[in-house]
Amino acid sequence: MASRFPRQVQGDGAPRTQGVRVGYDDGEEEGGYDEEMFVNVPEGCKCGICHLILRDPTMIDPCQDTFCGSCLRRWLRTSNKCPSGDNVTVEQDKVRPNLFVAKLLANTKVKCPKKREGGGRCRWQGDLSELKTHQRHTCLFSDTACEQECGAILQRGLMQLHINDVCTRTPRPCPFQPLACGEMLPQREMARHMDSSVREHVDLLMMIVVQQQQQIARLQRTLNQRTGYHFKHRKSEEVETSDFNTTVRYRPLQQEPP
């Protein structure tokens, strides 16, 4: 009885391809899974074409040799023979999913292969069947589109930082907010606001200039008042001191009684 597990492609003349190892969260990617992502590598579950762990296990009847779905489709574009080298002619209606191997792999423990920019990796572990859901919805290191649809693609863990500091669709205060302009606009609309509100912004600047001039005038009056008070008080002290010195200098000497 033919084995349900895949055999390696035989013979040096058999065409071989390398599995594409980018991502792992897209079911349409070509090639198998990298062994490094498996906690325990399942025995006999390697594709005979790309030599990686089977992705979308696809079987050929009647030999029951199993390969990655994408690898087998690519093979059959140039050959109608089984890739295992047993000279079996492959008919399209004899190619079907290998449900036994697919279930075996679905329950196999794997590590999320996503890595953080600059170092580190995701610590998630779970069944292979759960990996796609994890990467699409919860993995902090998976690439995802900006939640505000600005067009940026970034790692999910950097989303809040992107929205706060970079995203062109995040409403931000007008540069004239300290002068009482209350507009909050996305970056792409701010230029139009600045162009259309020149008169209003100039009026705000003039109002601030007038207020500052008034404040300067008040401070000057206060300073003058305080300076005048201290000057007058000091002159008064100088006059008193001068009178005292004069009195002491010209006081007649009194003779002692005999």
Side-chain angles (χ1 to χ4, degrees):
M1 178 178 177
S3 172
R4 296 185 179 183
F5 293 91
R7 289 184 287 166
Q8 300 295 311
V9 174
Q10 303 296 323
D12 294 336
R16 299 187 181 187
T17 60
Q18 293 297 321
V20 178
R21 308 185 196 187
V22 182
Y24 305 108
D25 56 345
D26 187 346
E28 296 182 355
E29 287 186 359
E30 296 184 349
Y33 296 106
D34 198 320
E35 290 186 33
E36 294 180 359
M37 63 181 288
F38 286 81
V39 176
N40 295 306
V41 179
E43 184 178 356
C45 289
K46 284 188 177 182
C47 173
I49 299 176
C50 70
H51 307 293
L52 299 176
I53 305 300
L54 289 163
R55 184 197 297 267
D56 182 26
T58 304
M59 181 172 61
I60 299 173
D61 281 336
C63 64
Q64 295 190 339
D65 290 330
T66 302
F67 308 91
C68 295
S70 61
C71 293
L72 185 57
R73 286 191 295 272
R74 188 167 58 250
W75 177 283
L76 294 178
R77 293 189 192 121
T78 57
S79 174
N80 65 347
K81 299 295 183 182
C82 177
S84 62
D86 52 14
N87 205 34
V88 173
T89 300
V90 179
E91 300 178 11
Q92 291 296 332
D93 60 348
K94 300 297 183 181
V95 176
R96 58 187 178 86
N98 189 327
L99 300 180
F100 176 82
V101 176
K103 184 176 181 179
L104 176 66
L105 288 171
N107 296 323
T108 301
K109 296 296 181 184
V110 296
K111 299 174 288 187
C112 178
K114 292 295 183 180
K115 297 181 180 180
R116 180 174 58 222
E117 294 179 2
R121 65 178 299 161
C122 180
R123 297 184 178 182
W124 180 90
Q125 291 189 14
D127 291 345
L128 178 61
S129 60
E130 301 169 347
L131 179 62
K132 185 181 296 185
T133 299
H134 160 70
Q135 291 183 332
R136 286 183 174 176
H137 301 290
T138 61
C139 180
L140 297 179
F141 304 144
S142 289
D143 289 341
T144 186
C146 172
E147 295 175 354
Q148 301 188 134
E149 300 180 351
C150 72
I153 303 296
L154 63 152
Q155 289 189 342
R156 184 175 286 106
L158 301 176
M159 183 65 68
Q160 198 57 51
L161 181 64
H162 165 78
I163 290 175
N164 292 342
D165 299 339
V166 181
C167 183
T168 58
R169 291 200 170 187
T170 298
R172 306 188 190 281
C174 171
F176 285 84
Q177 185 190 47
L179 304 183
C181 180
E183 291 292 340
M184 292 281 294
L185 297 169
Q187 180 179 336
R188 61 181 184 171
E189 299 178 17
M190 189 62 70
R192 185 170 65 244
H193 164 69
M194 296 294 289
D195 290 341
S196 63
S197 304
V198 173
R199 180 66 179 271
E200 290 80 358
H201 291 160
V202 170
D203 289 344
L204 289 174
L205 285 172
M206 292 301 298
M207 181 180 65
I208 295 299
V209 170
V210 171
Q211 291 175 353
Q212 290 179 342
Q213 289 176 338
Q214 293 173 348
Q215 180 68 14
I216 291 172
R218 285 195 296 269
L219 292 174
Q220 188 65 52
R221 287 195 298 270
T222 301
L223 179 62
N224 291 340
Q225 291 172 358
R226 292 183 178 180
T227 301
Y229 170 79
H230 287 299
F231 178 77
K232 183 178 180 180
H233 185 67
R234 183 176 180 182
K235 292 296 290 184
S236 177
E237 289 179 345
E238 290 177 354
V239 171
E240 291 177 0
T241 302
S242 176
D243 292 345
F244 175 78
N245 290 337
T246 301
T247 302
V248 171
R249 184 180 304 116
Y250 294 104
R251 178 183 297 173
L253 295 174
Q254 297 181 357
Q255 296 183 352
E256 294 181 1

